[in-house]
């Protein structure tokens, strides 16, 4: 694979680089069109890459030409056990989504670069770009919300009003912390409702779906914090935060789930230059959290009720609480005025679900964890090293995102509300549970679902085992046999034991001649005699199907 | 989104570029380490990208700030109908794989660049690279076979002997022909068996799986062509092809499924400089195809039986035919000495399944088709514009690929055999069938699976509809209601009709007061009276579940 590269080739490549630097310098000096600069810069990049590869192949040769066997940083393989768990999690979630009449879509893993730009604020630096190999500039998707908005904007008539889910991988060049389920390639699982409806009815259903999903996944105790962007903005405004500081003060407040008020106040006053009196006034509001009684308290606050945006926010919250009450799930929610959520595109209700379950200390696959662990120990342990990592789901209303794409006159022509479930964290929690169960010697998820092992009890009987297996496959019965002409009996039993295959179908020359095989329940041996049961070949599929159904 | 960018900012950016060019020139002149050059070149690239973005946002402002709304070239969105079909296809295929005891894995969508290099011959130019943003150089996966080999090489003890499938997207910067199901982002669906076993037993099972998959998918008539690399190489050698020409002659022969022999002969003699007598001798062999009788004919050919590699190939084919016969699927196969398959890594048996089904003229989603269409019309229409496009599945034995990664002493320490099903072509065929059925006015796949629509027959009854819906969701019944406080009756019925929702649950103030709702079978109305049936609320879930099960 690695080519022999001499000093001459490297020198030639360096000369090429020199020449290309000259070309670019000339273009730049005469203010040539950006497209031309870009295209020459791409060529330069190719030259440098080739130079680097010469170097790599030289050092690879030194090291015996061996390739580094790993997945890229922040990514991992999914082994069969992880995949079995992933399939379980996805099918559980999809069942809930389908019950609510959602359809599903998929989008390409990369989008045109310009589709993603300007959507993620500071985090845009975490976007993966594809190399410019000629043609369009593309980037890997950063989330599923922007591609959804792009999809709806492209098909407003058909999908301007839809309930859809999307489960797919997204990409962020973040500092990975794989032990906590934070990867550079990871799954998101989004449920969104687009379209103009009466206020808060879709919002309440999204939250109802979230509760049903978290209950179905059995992730343990959870709370869903809710707040409203309009109310929060109004609070800042009422307290006297200057307009240009609202964004940065909002992000300071968002840290209240991990930092004490004193620290947040210090950041606002010292780092962000906020007046102390203003900070204290904010403190009174944002430390409030509760349920319906908090809503009533705020509804009695004249400062708020006289503010247009605060009134709108409170009216929304009132409706929401009524609807959540009808759904019988109000007890799951905490009205939390400190919840701010980072993303630029939220316009109304916002929410975040947090669980009490801790991230497991070591998760399978991938390379080593990186980030230091700062979380407290105890029942309520929440990952504290990064904003949002402790949360298990989050979302909100974003009424203007589709409008950013469609360029329609009304920015909120296609309002949307949705939630993204943090499935990687769900995987972590459930995988830890599986490992704990395995450590206690309990039976857990099987990687492989084989129900029958077709064995030879002498003389190989390969063609006969093939014939029986094919008969079972055609009957939809999961079966395997050993890929040996004359397998040893012990070797076959070893597989049955190791893989916990429930049934053994045993072929012996004498019985076979009479058109019979022997079936033995290997799992929970007590139920049948050790010698198993003789079954005529013609009745085998029916017999096994019935036995398997009672497992 | 687009920022206001003045001439000053552009000038500043150009000055930055100038400075960076100087930095690179200095580094290069003094032969600085490649890593330093690379890192500075990456910075340069960033500067140029920002310069380009300033330009884009300027021109975007000129054009009203509107973004191009499309997916990248060669990619497409999956709308709900396509997704419903995709789910059907995948679950059908997975059912067969699971029946054979396969487990599944997943790998990252990008691999370290060096993992992919040197595996795809000429086609390496089609690999998508990620931009060098610092850190490792990565590329999007080109197929699922190389990642599988990398995975096995990393975990030889656990997975050196496994039966796995992998369904995932792969990426090729090829000229797209979307109407034919040829994309730059597309699904592959691979089933492979790794490990050392008795000859041809796993090979025969892979082919058995392929037959079962194609039968289960109901893609119409198909034939699986089989050949053996050792036999083919021996034939070339016996006919007198010089060793260095075997590769190029082999690729000429591979075209025999689309070109007549005269044209292939011309290419070998005129373009590739083969002796005419040698070409004619090859012609006698590679125009042979048949079944068991061909095998017997070749077994009687002394030139072949005296050749070591030919003998090995023939012995393998003899075993294979015996095994396929036991599986009762021999009739599906054609022993075809012209089948060569392009990929470098095959070492033994090779195969390709072709169907008689034609590619549909226009497939949903994405941008316009590009390639000219050269195929013949008629029942046996096979897409002829590109090698392999007409095939619906292909694969073979590759005994040395894992060894390339593990660097083990024996290159075939972990031999493998597998098949890749061309699911995009399957989607095309089945989608065309759905569209034909729709054109005939037949009911087909439903995008949405809702069974019940909860309606108000007066007075809105929003909270009541919510309560009933939640009751149904909790019972696992797929239900929706209209997101309006006071929806019009006609509007609700319009949804039921348009989305073919089988049942309407109707709430009216009077009945509701008595704890009752009315259930009406909307689909196939004849079965119940137009007025529907009154059902007490407490019995609703049970009643509906039973009714739905009999649909």
């Amino acid at each position: 694979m690695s080519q022999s590269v001499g000093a001459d080739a490297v020198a030639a490549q360096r000369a090429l680089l020199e020449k290309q630097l000259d070309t670019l310098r000339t273009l730049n000096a005469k203010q040539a069109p950006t497209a031309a600069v870009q295209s020459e810069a791409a060529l330069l990049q190719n030259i440098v890459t080739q130079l680097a590869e010469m170097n790599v192949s030289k050092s690879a040769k030194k090291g015996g030409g061996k390739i580094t066997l790993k997945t890229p940083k922040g990514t991992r393989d999914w082994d069969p056990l992880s995949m079995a768990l992933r399939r379980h999690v996805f099918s559980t979630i999809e069942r809930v989504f389908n019950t609510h009449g959602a359809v599903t879509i998929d989008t390409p893993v990369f989008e045109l670069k310009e589709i993603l730009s300007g959507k993620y604020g500071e985090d845009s630096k975490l976007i993966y770009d594809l190399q410019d190999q000629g043609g369009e500039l593309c980037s890997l998707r950063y989330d599923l919300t922007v591609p959804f908005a792009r999809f709806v904007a492209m098909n407003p008539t058909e999908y301007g009003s839809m309930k859809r889910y999307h489960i797919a991988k997204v990409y962020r060049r973040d500092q990975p912390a794989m032990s906590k389920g934070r990867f550079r390639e990871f799954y998101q699982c989004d449920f969104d409702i687009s379209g103009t409806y009466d206020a808060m009815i879709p919002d309440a259903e999204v939250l109802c779906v979230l509760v049903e999903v978290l209950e179905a996944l059995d992730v343990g105790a959870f709370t869903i914090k809710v707040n409203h962007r309009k109310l929060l903005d109004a609070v800042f405004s009422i307290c006297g935060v200057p307009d240009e500081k609202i964004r940065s003060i909002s992000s300071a407040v968002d840290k209240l789930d991990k930092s004490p008020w004193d620290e947040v106040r210090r950041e606002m006053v010292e780092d962000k230059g906020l007046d102390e009196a203003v900070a204290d006034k904010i403190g009174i509001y944002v430390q409030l959290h509760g349920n319906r009684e908090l809503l009533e308290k705020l509804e009695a606050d004249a400062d708020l009720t006289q503010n247009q945006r605060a009134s709108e926010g409170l009216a929304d919250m009132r409706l929401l609480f009524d609807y959540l009450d009808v759904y019988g799930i109000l007890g799951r929610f905490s009205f939390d005025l400190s919840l701010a959520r980072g993303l630029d595109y939220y316009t109304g209700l916002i929410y975040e679900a947090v669980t009490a379950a801790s991230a497991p200390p070591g998760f399978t696959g991938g390379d080593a964890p990186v980030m230091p662990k700062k979380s407290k120990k105890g029942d309520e342990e929440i990952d504290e090293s990064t904003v949002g990592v402790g949360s298990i789901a989050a979302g909100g209303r974003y009424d203007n995102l589709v409008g950013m794409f469609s360029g329609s006159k009304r920015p909120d022509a296609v309002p949307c509300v949705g939630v993204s479930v943090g499935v990687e964290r769900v995987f972590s929690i459930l995988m830890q549970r599986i490992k704990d169960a395995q450590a206690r010697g309990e039976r857990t998820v099987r990687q492989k679902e084989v129900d029958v092992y077709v064995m030879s009890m002498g003389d190989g009987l390969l063609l006969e085992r093939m014939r029986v297996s094919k008969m079972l496959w055609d009957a939809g019965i999961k079966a395997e046999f050993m890929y040996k002409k004359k397998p040893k009996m012990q070797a076959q039993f070893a597989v049955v034991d190791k893989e916990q295959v429930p049934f053994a179908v045993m072929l012996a020359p004498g019985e076979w001649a009479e058109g019979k095989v022997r079936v033995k329940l290997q799992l929970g041996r007590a139920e049948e005699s050790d010698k198993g049961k003789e079954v005529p070949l013609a009745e085998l599929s029916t017999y096994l199907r019935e036995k398997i159904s009672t497992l």
Side-chain angles (χ1 to χ4, degrees), chain A residues 34 98 100 103 107 129 189 229 244 269 327 386 388 401 406-407 453 456 458 485 505-506 514 531:
Chain A
T34 310
N98 285 328
H100 285 261
V103 296
T107 61
D129 293 325
C189 169
R229 269 277 167 97
E244 71 278 9
V269 174
Y327 285 145
T386 310
L401 190 59
S406 59
Y453 204 67
S456 154
K485 278 190 200 162
V505 167
M506 294 177 285
E514 294 167 24
K531 300 220 71 180

Short mmCIF file of all heavy atoms in Angstrom, two decimals, chain A residues 34 98 100 103 107 129 189 229 244 269 327 386 388 401 406-407 453 456 458 485 505-506 514 531:
data_model
loop_
_atom_site.label_atom_id
_atom_site.label_comp_id
_atom_site.label_asym_id
_atom_site.label_seq_id
_atom_site.Cartn_x
_atom_site.Cartn_y
_atom_site.Cartn_z
N THR A 34 -12.83 35.80 -5.87
CA THR A 34 -12.65 34.83 -4.79
C THR A 34 -12.70 33.39 -5.29
O THR A 34 -11.97 32.53 -4.81
CB THR A 34 -13.75 35.04 -3.74
OG1 THR A 34 -13.78 36.41 -3.41
CG2 THR A 34 -13.46 34.23 -2.51
N ASN A 98 -44.96 6.14 16.24
CA ASN A 98 -45.99 5.65 15.33
C ASN A 98 -47.37 5.71 15.95
O ASN A 98 -48.37 5.95 15.27
CB ASN A 98 -45.69 4.21 14.89
CG ASN A 98 -44.56 4.15 13.87
OD1 ASN A 98 -44.40 5.06 13.07
ND2 ASN A 98 -43.78 3.09 13.92
N HIS A 100 -48.46 7.91 17.74
CA HIS A 100 -48.94 9.29 17.60
C HIS A 100 -49.09 9.71 16.14
O HIS A 100 -49.23 10.89 15.86
CB HIS A 100 -48.00 10.24 18.35
CG HIS A 100 -48.18 10.19 19.84
ND1 HIS A 100 -48.92 11.11 20.54
CD2 HIS A 100 -47.78 9.28 20.75
CE1 HIS A 100 -48.94 10.79 21.82
NE2 HIS A 100 -48.25 9.68 21.98
N VAL A 103 -44.88 10.16 10.72
CA VAL A 103 -44.20 9.49 9.62
C VAL A 103 -42.70 9.75 9.81
O VAL A 103 -42.31 10.53 10.66
CB VAL A 103 -44.65 10.04 8.24
CG1 VAL A 103 -46.11 9.74 8.01
CG2 VAL A 103 -44.37 11.53 8.12
N THR A 107 -32.61 12.30 5.39
CA THR A 107 -31.94 13.30 4.57
C THR A 107 -30.49 12.84 4.38
O THR A 107 -30.02 11.97 5.11
CB THR A 107 -31.95 14.67 5.29
OG1 THR A 107 -31.24 14.56 6.53
CG2 THR A 107 -33.37 15.15 5.56
N ASP A 129 -16.44 19.79 7.62
CA ASP A 129 -16.58 20.08 6.20
C ASP A 129 -16.01 18.93 5.37
O ASP A 129 -15.05 18.28 5.79
CB ASP A 129 -15.83 21.36 5.84
CG ASP A 129 -16.46 22.58 6.48
OD1 ASP A 129 -17.70 22.60 6.61
OD2 ASP A 129 -15.72 23.52 6.86
N CYS A 189 -32.37 11.62 17.69
CA CYS A 189 -33.66 10.98 17.51
C CYS A 189 -34.70 12.08 17.73
O CYS A 189 -34.97 12.46 18.86
CB CYS A 189 -33.73 9.88 18.55
SG CYS A 189 -35.32 9.18 18.70
N ARG A 229 -39.27 31.27 26.05
CA ARG A 229 -38.33 32.30 25.61
C ARG A 229 -38.90 33.71 25.77
O ARG A 229 -38.21 34.62 26.19
CB ARG A 229 -37.97 32.08 24.13
CG ARG A 229 -36.75 31.22 23.92
CD ARG A 229 -35.47 32.07 24.06
NE ARG A 229 -34.29 31.21 24.16
CZ ARG A 229 -33.49 30.89 23.14
NH1 ARG A 229 -33.75 31.36 21.94
NH2 ARG A 229 -32.46 30.12 23.33
N GLU A 244 -28.61 44.46 24.21
CA GLU A 244 -27.44 43.81 23.60
C GLU A 244 -26.80 42.79 24.55
O GLU A 244 -25.98 41.98 24.14
CB GLU A 244 -26.41 44.85 23.13
CG GLU A 244 -25.67 45.58 24.25
CD GLU A 244 -26.46 46.75 24.83
OE1 GLU A 244 -27.66 46.89 24.48
OE2 GLU A 244 -25.90 47.51 25.64
N VAL A 269 -22.00 39.96 36.82
CA VAL A 269 -21.53 41.27 37.25
C VAL A 269 -20.08 41.51 36.83
O VAL A 269 -19.76 42.51 36.16
CB VAL A 269 -21.68 41.41 38.79
CG1 VAL A 269 -21.04 42.71 39.27
CG2 VAL A 269 -23.15 41.33 39.18
N TYR A 327 -53.57 15.25 29.97
CA TYR A 327 -52.79 14.07 29.60
C TYR A 327 -52.32 13.28 30.83
O TYR A 327 -51.70 12.23 30.70
CB TYR A 327 -51.58 14.47 28.75
CG TYR A 327 -51.92 14.85 27.32
CD1 TYR A 327 -51.21 15.83 26.65
CD2 TYR A 327 -52.94 14.19 26.62
CE1 TYR A 327 -51.51 16.17 25.33
CE2 TYR A 327 -53.24 14.52 25.31
CZ TYR A 327 -52.53 15.52 24.67
OH TYR A 327 -52.83 15.84 23.38
N THR A 386 -20.08 19.61 30.99
CA THR A 386 -20.44 20.41 29.84
C THR A 386 -21.94 20.69 29.86
O THR A 386 -22.72 19.85 30.26
CB THR A 386 -20.11 19.65 28.53
OG1 THR A 386 -18.78 19.19 28.61
CG2 THR A 386 -20.26 20.57 27.34
N GLY A 388 -25.57 20.71 29.12
CA GLY A 388 -26.50 19.87 28.38
C GLY A 388 -26.17 18.40 28.38
O GLY A 388 -26.98 17.59 27.98
N LEU A 401 -37.49 29.07 11.64
CA LEU A 401 -36.37 28.39 10.98
C LEU A 401 -36.71 28.02 9.53
O LEU A 401 -35.90 28.23 8.62
CB LEU A 401 -35.96 27.15 11.79
CG LEU A 401 -34.65 26.48 11.36
CD1 LEU A 401 -33.47 27.44 11.45
CD2 LEU A 401 -34.38 25.24 12.21
N SER A 406 -37.13 29.27 3.27
CA SER A 406 -38.09 29.44 2.19
C SER A 406 -38.12 30.89 1.72
O SER A 406 -38.59 31.19 0.64
CB SER A 406 -39.48 29.00 2.64
OG SER A 406 -39.88 29.77 3.76
N GLY A 407 -37.56 31.80 2.53
CA GLY A 407 -37.55 33.20 2.15
C GLY A 407 -38.95 33.76 2.00
O GLY A 407 -39.18 34.69 1.24
N TYR A 453 -29.83 -25.46 16.78
CA TYR A 453 -28.52 -25.85 16.25
C TYR A 453 -28.66 -27.27 15.71
O TYR A 453 -29.07 -28.17 16.44
CB TYR A 453 -27.46 -25.77 17.35
CG TYR A 453 -26.06 -25.59 16.81
CD1 TYR A 453 -25.70 -24.41 16.16
CD2 TYR A 453 -25.11 -26.60 16.95
CE1 TYR A 453 -24.41 -24.24 15.66
CE2 TYR A 453 -23.82 -26.43 16.45
CZ TYR A 453 -23.48 -25.25 15.81
OH TYR A 453 -22.20 -25.08 15.31
N SER A 456 -24.63 -33.09 14.09
CA SER A 456 -24.40 -34.47 13.68
C SER A 456 -23.92 -35.28 14.89
O SER A 456 -23.03 -34.85 15.62
CB SER A 456 -23.34 -34.50 12.58
OG SER A 456 -22.68 -35.75 12.60
N GLY A 458 -22.63 -38.24 14.51
CA GLY A 458 -21.74 -39.27 14.00
C GLY A 458 -21.76 -39.25 12.49
O GLY A 458 -22.77 -38.89 11.88
N LYS A 485 -17.20 -30.77 7.71
CA LYS A 485 -17.72 -32.01 7.13
C LYS A 485 -18.00 -33.02 8.23
O LYS A 485 -19.02 -33.69 8.22
CB LYS A 485 -16.70 -32.60 6.15
CG LYS A 485 -16.75 -31.97 4.79
CD LYS A 485 -15.87 -32.78 3.83
CE LYS A 485 -15.49 -31.93 2.62
NZ LYS A 485 -14.35 -32.50 1.91
N VAL A 505 -31.09 -29.95 17.33
CA VAL A 505 -31.68 -31.01 16.51
C VAL A 505 -30.54 -31.94 16.14
O VAL A 505 -29.57 -31.51 15.52
CB VAL A 505 -32.35 -30.43 15.24
CG1 VAL A 505 -32.67 -31.53 14.25
CG2 VAL A 505 -33.62 -29.66 15.60
N MET A 506 -30.64 -33.21 16.59
CA MET A 506 -29.51 -34.12 16.45
C MET A 506 -29.78 -35.18 15.40
O MET A 506 -30.82 -35.85 15.44
CB MET A 506 -29.21 -34.74 17.80
CG MET A 506 -28.71 -33.65 18.77
SD MET A 506 -28.40 -34.23 20.43
CE MET A 506 -30.07 -34.40 21.01
N GLU A 514 -34.45 -43.86 9.27
CA GLU A 514 -35.89 -44.07 9.52
C GLU A 514 -36.67 -42.76 9.32
O GLU A 514 -37.85 -42.67 9.71
CB GLU A 514 -36.10 -44.55 10.95
CG GLU A 514 -35.52 -45.93 11.22
CD GLU A 514 -35.49 -46.22 12.74
OE1 GLU A 514 -36.30 -45.61 13.47
OE2 GLU A 514 -34.65 -47.02 13.15
N LYS A 531 -32.20 -37.47 26.83
CA LYS A 531 -32.07 -38.09 25.51
C LYS A 531 -32.85 -37.34 24.44
O LYS A 531 -32.74 -37.61 23.27
CB LYS A 531 -32.55 -39.54 25.56
CG LYS A 531 -31.77 -40.42 26.54
CD LYS A 531 -31.53 -41.80 25.97
CE LYS A 531 -30.53 -41.76 24.84
NZ LYS A 531 -30.24 -43.06 24.23
#
